[in-house]
Amino acid sequence: QVHLAESGGGLVQAGGSLRLSCAASGRTFSTYAMGWFRKTPGKEREFVAAISWSGGNTVYADSVKGRFTISRDNAKNTVYLQMNSLKPEDTAVYYCAAGRTIVVVTTMEDALDAWGQGTLVTVSS
C-alpha cells in the first residue's frame, strides 16, 4: 500500500508557473505508475498527466500538453507536476494517484490504488 501527500499549490497569476509535488510513503512507490488529476466545483474530476513506473512513458491531457510536465524521482519517492503558462481555467484542486500501470492511470480512475488529499491551485487573471 502506498500513501500519497501533495504539496506546492497556491495562488499564481496567469502566465506564471507552479511545481506540485506528491510524496509517497511505502517501499513500493517505484512499482506504481503515477498520475495527476484535477477537480473544479461543478465539474467531474479530469485526468491531467501520467507517468510510468520507470519514468520512460508519459501521457498528457490535450488541455495541458506543452505547458505541463510530469516527472518522478524514485529515489525520493516523489512525483512532480511542473505547470507553466498557467491559465485561469487551470484553477482546481489537484490530486496525485497511483496505479498498477500507466494504462490504468489514464483510463481506469476507479481502479487506482491510492489518492492524495489534494492541493489547491488558483490562477488569477
Side-chain angles (χ1 to χ4, degrees):
Q1 184 71 18
V2 63
H3 298 280
L4 306 174
E6 303 92 338
S7 61
L11 174 64
V12 63
Q13 287 189 329
S17 298
L18 278 177
R19 189 176 80 157
L20 305 183
S21 298
C22 173
S25 62
R27 291 175 288 180
T28 60
F29 172 76
S30 63
T31 67
Y32 285 97
M34 299 295 297
W36 287 96
F37 296 78
R38 65 188 182 186
K39 183 152 188 340
T40 54
K43 294 185 179 181
E44 291 192 358
R45 185 170 55 200
E46 67 170 329
F47 166 77
V48 174
I51 189 166
S52 61
W53 66 270
S54 67
N57 292 316
T58 57
V59 179
Y60 296 93
D62 288 343
S63 58
V64 306
K65 205 171 290 184
R67 300 188 298 122
F68 290 11
T69 302
I70 188 170
S71 61
R72 66 189 296 161
D73 185 337
N74 285 343
K76 295 183 178 180
N77 278 13
T78 303
V79 63
Y80 305 97
L81 186 68
Q82 177 67 43
M83 306 185 295
N84 299 329
S85 303
L86 282 161
K87 305 175 182 180
E89 52 263 43
D90 294 318
T91 295
V93 177
Y94 283 73
Y95 300 87
C96 65
R100 287 298 170 182
T101 69
I102 196 169
V103 172
V104 170
V105 173
T106 56
T107 64
M108 300 172 65
E109 271 187 50
D110 291 342
L112 297 179
D113 291 285
W115 290 87
Q117 82 288 350
T119 186
L120 176 62
V121 172
T122 303
V123 184
S124 63
S125 57

